[in-house]
Amino acid sequence: VLVTAPQNVQPGDRVRFQLPLSATSMNNVTAIRLSYGQSTGWTRTLKLEVNGRGVKFQWVNLDEDDERQQHAYVRHMQYYMPPGEQHRTAYVTLIPAKDSIIPGNVYDDMGEIVVSYQNLVGIQAKKLDNKAEWLQQICRSRLAIDYAQGHMRINVRRAYLLADSVDAIMSLTRTDLRKTFRFEFWNEPGIDAGGLTREWFHLVTNEIFNPDFGLWQYSSANQMCLMINPASEMSHPNEHLTYFRFLGRVLGKALFERQLVNGHMVRHLYKHLLGFPVNMDDIEMVDNSLFSSLEKLMEYKENGGDVKDLALDFSVREECMGFATTKELIPGGADIDVTNDNLAEYIDAIVRYQLLERTRPQVTELILGFYDVIEEGLLTVFDFQELELLVCGLPRIDLQDWQKNTEYTGRFENVTESTAVSENEVIQWFWSVVEQDFDVEMRARLLQFVTGTSGVPAQGFSVLQGNDGNIRKFTIHGVELEMYVFPRAHTCFNRIDLPLYTSRDQLLEKLKLAVQMEATGFGIE
């Protein structure tokens, strides 16, 4: 291979370059992948470009028998710069997951490789702490603007914190966002050595995520999670999209600087930020009753029923500010009946509408703001659960409080010292595993698995809420081992179905796999 050295290379310097891939390398290329679970699920594999000089990551479904994953979608961004505008924009659509690709290498603004696909594959298999440290090292050494070359001093008034912050952050270019921020609160003597920055991230996200502000509302499945208010324009007619672009920049900057924000979003929004596949299962966190209805529809057809008898069409009816409106899921949808033949298309249309179309402008600005700061390719090493933990932080979990405020149902109901040894021991094994074998990250993932979020109420587990807003404590429901091989979660009820395993080692193996497999979006049966 003939290599032309850069002009600034001196004798003795090392030069790193990437060899072009030939067609004969395809077998090795396809063996390289980013896996987000220990068993079947979605994975990213390398796809060789036609000229053999570049590679891309492409989603591949490893469970072809799972019908829901065959109808999974990934958001697709088509960037463009409107004439006379300061910031780029994009048109966002949902495309089949198998058609979604992303460059294998990560490039800087000069077109030079920051991280190669080999580095991404190597880092992706490591623990979250190692990946987080790697991301910070890349951001500081390769992407951040040196303090001596310029930094941003941001002055805000506490009484007008959000307004001042929006004005300041939205005036910055993408290059400015990678400079060091130094915050000053007007008429306060504090010097920002890191403390004021942490306070700013906490205060500004606490205010913008507040449902009373009108941009966000509580998830129907979990009161600890927030989803975009489809009617956010009603609260802020002229600024609501600016707020979402601003919040995206704040989230991106928090990840860039390893700061924490004060707000947990619903699962599919983290997936959109990462370009992860979404499917019907993600509707559960948005509209639990709709999700249940769709499942019953599928069961009705499987049991021999005729869906046409239910008089459904390709439209949805919604209420906003007391006014009811009908939205067509496809052109002319109000005049198209749902039948057994087009039920799959109907569910696809519902998925597209609920997970993107309903809030497309807000989601677009959130993603745009996020990637104004950080390079998308760097985040391929994380799954959506890890992204939540990175930006919201690992929760401080009081194990005694957790155990004290746990309820037991099913085969574990009324468990006492005189109860059958097998049932009593399973509960002891469960808490022993959580305390002795699960580190802070795995405990947070267990919470995500069972409740839908890693967030813990400030008052502790005694006030954990369900999808109806009422207190619904963490619940362990005992089931026969013949029913399920792996534990199953019901996030709307904060409940885990735990089989009666025959040994502690078996419980550890199955619970750990179930919790880690959650990142793939699969139920395990």
Side-chain angles (χ1 to χ4, degrees), residues 21-23 25-26 29 46-50 52-56:
L21 294 170
S22 64
S25 303
M26 272 304 291
V29 169
L46 279 183
K47 177 182 179 182
L48 185 66
E49 290 186 342
V50 177
R53 293 184 176 275
V55 293
K56 296 182 181 294

Side-chain angles (χ1 to χ4, degrees), residues 132-153:
E133 191 61 41
W134 168 84
L135 178 64
Q136 293 309 305
Q137 190 272 330
I138 293 295
C139 289
R140 290 169 183 162
S141 63
R142 299 299 303 273
L143 300 178
I145 306 300
D146 187 82
Y147 188 87
Q149 297 180 12
H151 54 277
M152 307 308 301
R153 179 167 295 176

Side-chain angles (χ1 to χ4, degrees), residues 199-448:
E199 182 182 11
W200 180 83
F201 274 100
H202 173 80
L203 293 176
V204 80
T205 53
N206 184 64
E207 187 169 344
I208 202 168
F209 274 122
N210 188 340
D212 293 339
F213 193 63
L215 300 180
W216 296 82
Q217 60 189 31
Y218 291 116
S219 162
S220 65
N222 190 313
Q223 296 292 303
M224 287 294 294
C225 289
L226 295 161
M227 63 184 191
I228 294 173
N229 179 7
S232 61
E233 186 177 9
M234 303 292 290
S235 300
H236 306 277
N238 300 318
E239 301 92 8
H240 77 123
L241 295 183
T242 301
Y243 283 129
F244 281 103
R245 183 66 171 258
F246 163 78
L247 178 58
R249 289 183 160 202
V250 171
L251 295 177
K253 186 64 173 177
L255 197 59
F256 197 86
E257 300 284 356
R258 207 167 184 176
Q259 297 290 338
L260 301 179
V261 303
N262 193 19
H264 295 262
M265 300 184 295
V266 290
R267 180 175 61 199
H268 79 274
L269 291 178
Y270 292 111
K271 289 187 174 184
H272 281 331
L273 288 176
L274 293 179
F276 247 77
V278 297
N279 67 3
M280 178 183 136
D281 292 334
D282 293 297
I283 294 179
E284 184 177 13
M285 295 294 290
V286 178
D287 189 332
N288 180 55
S289 61
L290 173 61
F291 175 75
S292 299
S293 298
L294 293 177
E295 287 204 313
K296 291 176 182 177
L297 255 179
M298 296 170 65
E299 292 176 4
Y300 184 70
K301 175 188 173 181
E302 292 172 359
N303 293 331
D306 189 349
V307 175
K308 190 173 182 179
D309 296 338
L310 303 178
L312 298 172
D313 57 49
F314 279 72
S315 67
V316 293
R317 189 172 178 82
E318 294 185 340
E319 279 196 16
C320 179
M321 306 295 288
F323 294 95
T325 58
T326 298
K327 303 283 187 180
E328 291 188 334
L329 299 174
I330 59 176
D335 299 320
I336 301 176
D337 295 331
V338 180
T339 66
N340 285 358
D341 292 336
N342 63 18
L343 178 59
E345 289 79 4
Y346 173 73
I347 293 177
D348 275 357
I350 291 288
V351 169
R352 289 174 175 274
Y353 178 74
Q354 290 291 335
L355 300 183
L356 180 63
E357 299 297 338
R358 195 179 182 206
T359 55
R360 179 202 295 275
Q362 298 95 319
V363 170
T364 299
E365 294 302 320
L366 185 71
I367 298 174
L368 282 170
F370 190 68
Y371 288 117
D372 279 345
V373 185
I374 201 161
E375 293 296 330
E376 181 173 1
L378 292 176
L379 303 187
T380 55
V381 302
F382 301 106
D383 63 49
F384 58 90
Q385 291 178 315
E386 290 174 328
L387 180 60
E388 180 187 11
L389 295 176
L390 283 174
V391 297
C392 298
L394 291 169
R396 295 182 179 180
I397 299 175
D398 185 333
L399 284 177
Q400 291 185 342
D401 179 57
W402 193 353
Q403 286 187 253
K404 179 181 177 182
N405 290 288
T406 293
E407 296 180 348
Y408 303 91
T409 59
R411 289 295 302 270
F412 297 143
E413 191 169 7
N414 301 320
V415 169
T416 63
E417 292 297 329
S418 61
T419 306
V421 174
S422 60
E423 298 172 9
N424 194 32
E425 279 189 333
V426 172
I427 294 176
Q428 296 176 6
W429 291 337
F430 175 85
W431 290 114
S432 172
V433 164
V434 173
E435 182 175 1
Q436 299 176 22
D437 297 88
F438 279 16
D439 57 15
V440 176
E441 178 190 342
M442 282 299 295
R443 292 171 190 169
R445 282 181 174 272
L446 175 60
L447 271 182
Q448 288 176 319

Side-chain angles (χ1 to χ4, degrees), residues 16 31 120 201 333 395 430 464 482:
R16 175 179 293 180
L120 292 174
F201 274 100
F430 175 85
L464 199 62
E482 292 75 17

Side-chain angles (χ1 to χ4, degrees), residues 139-202:
C139 289
R140 290 169 183 162
S141 63
R142 299 299 303 273
L143 300 178
I145 306 300
D146 187 82
Y147 188 87
Q149 297 180 12
H151 54 277
M152 307 308 301
R153 179 167 295 176
I154 301 175
N155 297 292
V156 293
R157 298 166 293 178
R158 286 191 183 272
Y160 304 96
L161 175 66
L162 186 56
D164 288 352
S165 298
V166 170
D167 289 343
I169 300 301
M170 292 308 298
S171 68
L172 303 180
T173 65
R174 295 180 65 199
T175 300
D176 292 334
L177 290 168
R178 294 181 179 179
K179 296 178 179 178
T180 301
F181 285 5
R182 287 290 181 262
F183 290 91
E184 293 183 5
F185 289 90
W186 283 20
N187 298 324
E188 295 185 18
I191 297 177
D192 190 3
L196 294 182
T197 297
R198 287 192 297 272
E199 182 182 11
W200 180 83
F201 274 100
H202 173 80

